[in-house]
Amino acid sequence: MKKIAYIFPIWVLFWVSAASAHGPSRVKVEESIIINAGPAVVWAQIKDFGKVENWLPVVEKTSSQGGNKKGATRESLFQSINGPEIGNRS
């Protein structure tokens, strides 16, 4: 019985440390919408890499170089409510 009293706490400690070694579990979020338009209409709105503000309301303005070609760059300024301006370069 004493042997079990020594082994059990060690086993529990090992199990807890092994179980938490990988860190927190990943969170997955999914969202979907139905767009009441055909693919051609949708792509006509979103195809311009440098004009994200035309279809994404939180983007205030964008500037881009290189058009839609590989290696093109874009800077976006997001709308801010009671806070600093937030920018993104991609």
Side-chain angles (χ1 to χ4, degrees), residues 8-68:
F8 184 73
I10 293 170
W11 179 82
V12 169
L13 181 63
F14 173 77
W15 184 82
V16 170
S17 64
S20 63
H22 64 81
S25 60
R26 299 178 87 185
V27 176
K28 184 176 181 180
V29 177
E30 291 186 23
E31 184 176 346
S32 65
I33 62 169
I34 297 175
I35 299 174
N36 192 16
V41 174
V42 174
W43 280 111
Q45 289 295 315
I46 66 171
K47 68 181 178 182
D48 191 352
F49 180 74
K51 294 294 182 187
V52 178
E53 71 271 12
N54 289 346
W55 58 270
L56 188 59
V58 298
V59 176
E60 193 171 305
K61 66 179 180 178
T62 57
S63 60
S64 64
Q65 295 179 347
N68 290 330

